[in-house]
Amino acid sequence: MSTQPDGTGWDTPTIEVRVYRGGELVQRELCESETEAGQVLAAWAEIDDVTCQVDDLSYHHRPGDVLEPEPAVLGDEDDPRDVPEGSDQGG
């Protein structure tokens, strides 16, 4: 189980193991520890044509972690204020 920055625990599994056979997903297992994920991998290790992918889901974004887009900066040639009045080039 992962922990929040304040030290309290989350009740969600933190490691996802996906098992593919012949390119098709045959099992998806959510694990609470690396040991548990290792046991899932070991159970599939002897089977031919099996590929496993393991993802760590423990990183959780906090509101301040997500970057907000900055306004686009127009280049001089893109600035509509540079178009002479009466010109048909403006918007």
Side-chain angles (χ1 to χ4, degrees), residues 42-85:
W44 287 95
E46 300 297 320
I47 300 174
D48 291 334
D49 195 31
V50 168
T51 305
C52 296
Q53 291 183 339
V54 180
D55 287 321
D56 183 359
L57 306 176
S58 64
Y59 185 76
H60 295 273
H61 292 286
R62 293 172 292 178
D65 292 340
V66 178
L67 299 176
E68 294 185 16
E70 295 181 11
V73 177
L74 297 175
D76 290 339
E77 67 277 356
D78 295 332
D79 192 339
R81 294 174 292 185
D82 291 340
V83 177
E85 281 190 43

Side-chain angles (χ1 to χ4, degrees), residues 8-74:
T8 60
W10 273 304
D11 294 324
T12 58
T14 60
I15 300 173
E16 177 186 42
V17 179
R18 291 185 311 279
V19 181
Y20 296 88
R21 186 169 191 179
E24 182 179 334
L25 181 65
V26 293
Q27 181 176 352
R28 178 178 175 258
E29 186 81 28
L30 296 174
C31 305
E32 293 185 6
S33 68
E34 290 181 16
T35 304
E36 186 180 345
Q39 292 169 346
V40 172
L41 292 173
W44 287 95
E46 300 297 320
I47 300 174
D48 291 334
D49 195 31
V50 168
T51 305
C52 296
Q53 291 183 339
V54 180
D55 287 321
D56 183 359
L57 306 176
S58 64
Y59 185 76
H60 295 273
H61 292 286
R62 293 172 292 178
D65 292 340
V66 178
L67 299 176
E68 294 185 16
E70 295 181 11
V73 177
L74 297 175

